[in-house]
Amino acid sequence: MKRRIFLLAALLTLFPTSAHAQALFPSECFPIERLPAALRPKAEEVLLKLLDSEGLYTVIGGMKPMSGGFVSLYFLTEKPDTTKLDELRQVLGALHCGPSLRCDLLVFHTVNSGKRYAEAVAFSRPAVAQATRTYESYFAPLGATPSADPLEIALTVEHLEGAPRNRGLGYLYGYPKSAVDFFVAGQEEYAVTKKITPRNFRQIPTFGKETGSFVYAVPKGAPETDEDRQLKTKAGRILAEYKKRRERFVGPDKPGIVAMLRDWFTNEKGECAPENARF
């Protein structure tokens, strides 16, 4: 029996289910069991924070190529204590599922009052690759291509300044192009006039917040577009399914968030991959 399982694992590795989906055993998806025992509860805590935020729409469905800020910290640049930084990096290193989905630590380059900011980020690699294709005129001059490492792309964009940085982050966070254009233009106008362009906000609820999480600005009085409706509809379906599954798996004496995702990602053949999630 063990030999059969080993052969199946080898075959699944050699013949992935698609260009982006690689069939895994459930235990290989979010393998927190490989972490030191003391860090495993932290990994479950971080993963739950990710899914309770707009990061849900990166993990499920790839609506947002990148999500961040579900966990963050500051550290001093002089005589830095990097213990918590390294601990978080270890935890995030276990929060991945195949080649499509991963978490990492994004350290920002700006220093304020002697402190540097770092935050956890999640990437849907297929969605990041698609963003580089859709907005090739922006990403190609940066050397960012569909096969580039997502963290490398995020770091390249984060080190830019002004409008180029805002535009790139807008694309990576999955906002509609019209909203990104409006935000960038508004920031440029504010730099000159010191006046905020009148605006409304499109709010997409998350488990943790009804407003202020997945949110983007549009011109004041602008009618809702087809893209706005499509984003809200897809997010609503994902959130509704997540709420049902969260109720079953998360809480005292329940299997937990890792078990929930493994169950959600596993198809009838026993193959585990983010692309298998249905909502």
Side-chain angles (χ1 to χ4, degrees):
M1 181 66 180
K2 288 183 178 179
R3 186 170 182 272
R4 288 177 62 195
I5 292 174
F6 175 79
L7 289 172
L8 177 58
L11 287 170
L12 292 178
T13 301
L14 288 171
F15 301 104
T17 56
S18 76
H20 294 296
Q22 179 177 309
L24 304 171
F25 287 113
S27 61
E28 297 175 277
C29 191
F30 302 104
I32 66 169
E33 296 85 356
R34 299 174 190 172
L35 288 169
L39 292 183
R40 293 171 199 166
K42 180 69 173 179
E44 292 253 2
E45 177 188 331
V46 170
L47 190 55
L48 186 60
K49 286 182 177 180
L50 166 62
L51 294 172
D52 282 352
S53 74
E54 69 270 24
L56 174 66
Y57 306 124
T58 293
V59 176
I60 307 295
M63 286 176 58
K64 289 172 62 66
M66 176 177 105
S67 290
F70 47 97
V71 176
S72 62
L73 55 83
Y74 286 91
F75 62 96
L76 296 171
T77 53
E78 287 200 24
K79 298 182 180 179
D81 180 353
T82 59
T83 304
K84 291 184 178 180
L85 201 68
D86 189 62
E87 179 183 282
L88 180 55
R89 190 171 266 126
Q90 288 183 65
V91 166
L92 294 171
L95 302 185
H96 61 83
C97 187
S100 297
L101 184 63
R102 62 179 273 202
C103 293
D104 220 313
L105 190 67
L106 179 61
V107 180
F108 287 67
H109 78 288
T110 301
V111 176
N112 291 310
S113 302
K115 296 180 180 180
R116 195 182 298 276
Y117 174 76
E119 69 176 28
V121 289
F123 297 104
S124 166
R125 187 159 195 161
V128 172
Q130 185 56 52
T132 66
R133 295 186 191 98
T134 301
Y135 305 112
E136 184 178 9
S137 62
Y138 171 84
F139 284 106
L142 302 177
T145 65
S147 62
D149 180 89
L151 183 61
E152 176 190 337
I153 295 174
L155 282 168
T156 299
V157 171
E158 200 285 316
H159 277 68
L160 301 175
E161 295 183 358
R165 179 180 184 274
N166 292 333
R167 181 171 295 282
L169 290 176
Y171 292 154
L172 289 174
Y173 285 131
Y175 301 130
K177 184 179 186 304
S178 57
V180 175
D181 290 343
F182 172 73
F183 181 78
V184 170
Q187 290 296 97
E188 291 178 328
E189 183 178 336
Y190 178 80
V192 176
T193 66
K194 304 304 179 187
K195 294 180 180 179
I196 297 175
T197 308
R199 59 193 61 194
N200 292 130
F201 294 94
R202 300 283 188 253
Q203 305 278 358
I204 296 178
T206 65
F207 183 88
K209 292 181 179 180
E210 282 293 314
T211 62
S213 191
F214 188 3
V215 56
Y216 54 92
V218 297
K220 189 172 181 65
E224 193 175 52
T225 66
D226 287 342
E227 188 170 11
D228 293 331
R229 285 187 286 271
Q230 288 166 7
L231 279 174
K232 195 170 184 177
T233 298
K234 184 176 180 180
R237 289 166 50 211
I238 292 171
L239 182 58
E241 183 66 21
Y242 175 59
K243 286 179 177 179
K244 289 192 296 184
R245 290 175 177 270
R246 193 186 191 283
E247 176 65 25
R248 285 171 48 207
F249 281 87
V250 178
D253 301 318
K254 294 183 180 180
I257 194 67
V258 171
M260 187 210 78
L261 282 174
R262 288 172 177 172
D263 178 77
W264 201 349
F265 288 178
T266 301
N267 64 16
E268 65 280 357
K269 297 178 182 178
E271 301 165 343
C272 191
E275 291 79 3
N276 294 335
R278 297 290 176 262
F279 48 87

